[in-house]
Amino acid sequence: MRIPAAALDALRQARHVVALTGSGASAESGVPTFRDAQTGLWAQYNPLDLATPEAFLEDPALIWRWYRWRRELVAQAKPNAGHFALAALAERVPRLTLITQNVDGLHQRAGSDKVIEFHGNLFTERCFSEGIVVTDADHEAEVPKCSACGGMLRPGVVWFGEAIPETALEAATAATADCDLFLSIGTSSVVWPAAGLAAAARANNAVVIEINPDVTPQSGQSHFCLQGKSGEILPELLDYLTL
Ligand code: APR
């Protein structure tokens, strides 16, 4: 696509870039976005009804089956050109902070380090009652148990209605306050507090660029909307810095 010269200038001049990604960043890797209808076994379920503490308490075995299915899906997926471009971008700008709402670990597999995982990670487990992360879960059990308290383990992700992990929230808030360019990539910008980060950056005079094939509530609040797939647009932005 034709990227406006002013957007490219903002990138070239940026001192600190913050990139916030959502599930659209992994769409080209074959991982369905959160608000897409599910296919196959899980087509009858709405993910928004499964990703809650209430759903887990009602039927922990069902929720664990869903998460194991998602783990398998992600394990088979590979990072796409957008993930790789973001990892390379970190080497080309003075500072880049990557915040992701994704739990799939694909940014890390593409070579990004120090990724702020806003919504946790699909491949970790936490004790449901104590919240602590454990590393000795029995992966064969239908509902794995905490070896310390005997209670249920749950996937180490953030569900609807739950707080963002404190360290992730603090790091994301500080980076957003400091950045001069904010990239909102592949997110529908409807889930808070992540959805508020772009506005916070803009209030602090950062340039906001959205990358998304669709219009979102963030589009009207962005300085530039690059309408297209992140796996195509991010490599173009990177190429521009390489020229
Ligand atoms: N490139 C860029 N964006 C894309 C692409 C693509 N190839 N394909 C789809 N998109 C966009 C869609 O247009 C949509 O705006 O990605 C967005 C995906 O939106 P959601 O499915 O709502 O995902 P996300 O914004 O990450 O959801 C936020 O909500 O469900 C919870 O915890 C879950 O982290 C998730 C959070």
Side-chain angles (χ1 to χ4, degrees):
M1 77 169 291
R2 189 160 162 68
I3 300 175
L8 295 170
D9 284 347
L11 176 63
R12 203 198 282 282
Q13 285 159 17
R15 171 186 52 81
H16 183 181
V17 178
V18 166
L20 169 71
T21 61
S23 61
S26 295
E28 289 156 88
S29 295
V31 181
T33 66
F34 225 78
R35 281 164 185 76
D36 273 348
Q38 301 197 102
T39 51
L41 274 183
W42 296 93
Q44 56 177 313
Y45 294 98
N46 180 347
L48 308 185
D49 295 333
L50 295 175
T52 68
E54 292 77 20
F56 181 74
L57 281 175
E58 200 176 300
D59 193 345
L62 172 81
I63 302 307
W64 264 114
R65 279 204 299 281
W66 185 51
Y67 275 92
R68 288 199 185 98
W69 175 76
R70 292 182 61 200
R71 282 179 177 182
E72 279 169 30
L73 210 110
V74 166
Q76 287 161 17
K78 291 189 173 59
N80 65 55
H83 294 112
F84 287 114
L86 274 176
L89 193 61
E91 309 293 321
R92 305 269 167 80
V93 295
R95 186 170 170 207
L96 184 136
T97 302
L98 178 53
I99 307 166
T100 188
Q101 297 168 84
N102 300 343
V103 295
D104 55 27
L106 288 175
H107 285 302
Q108 292 89 332
R109 282 170 57 193
S112 288
D113 62 357
K114 299 197 200 117
V115 181
I116 300 175
E117 293 188 311
F118 216 62
H119 292 163
N121 187 295
L122 188 55
F123 296 95
T124 60
E125 290 89 21
R126 284 196 282 134
C127 175
F128 186 79
S129 52
E130 297 158 299
I132 49 166
V133 175
V134 302
T135 52
D136 59 354
D138 173 5
H139 294 289
E140 303 300 314
E142 191 179 37
V143 177
K145 298 278 184 299
C146 175
S147 57
C149 75
M152 291 189 289
L153 291 181
R154 54 165 286 174
V157 300
V158 176
W159 284 329
F160 289 106
E162 294 187 317
I164 305 302
E166 208 173 311
T167 47
L169 185 60
E170 278 171 12
T173 307
T176 299
D178 180 66
C179 75
D180 47 5
L181 176 63
F182 189 98
L183 303 175
S184 177
I185 304 165
T187 175
S188 57
S189 297
V190 294
V191 175
W192 290 74
L197 293 174
R202 187 175 172 140
N204 210 34
N205 296 321
V207 172
V208 177
I209 301 179
E210 181 180 62
I211 300 175
N212 197 313
D214 292 333
V215 173
T216 75
Q218 177 53 44
S219 305
Q221 311 300 316
S222 299
H223 295 95
F224 303 98
C225 294
L226 308 183
Q227 268 200 314
K229 296 178 175 178
S230 50
E232 293 169 6
I233 292 177
L234 286 168
E236 278 185 51
L237 289 178
L238 183 69
D239 281 352
Y240 170 76
L241 285 187
T242 316
L243 294 176

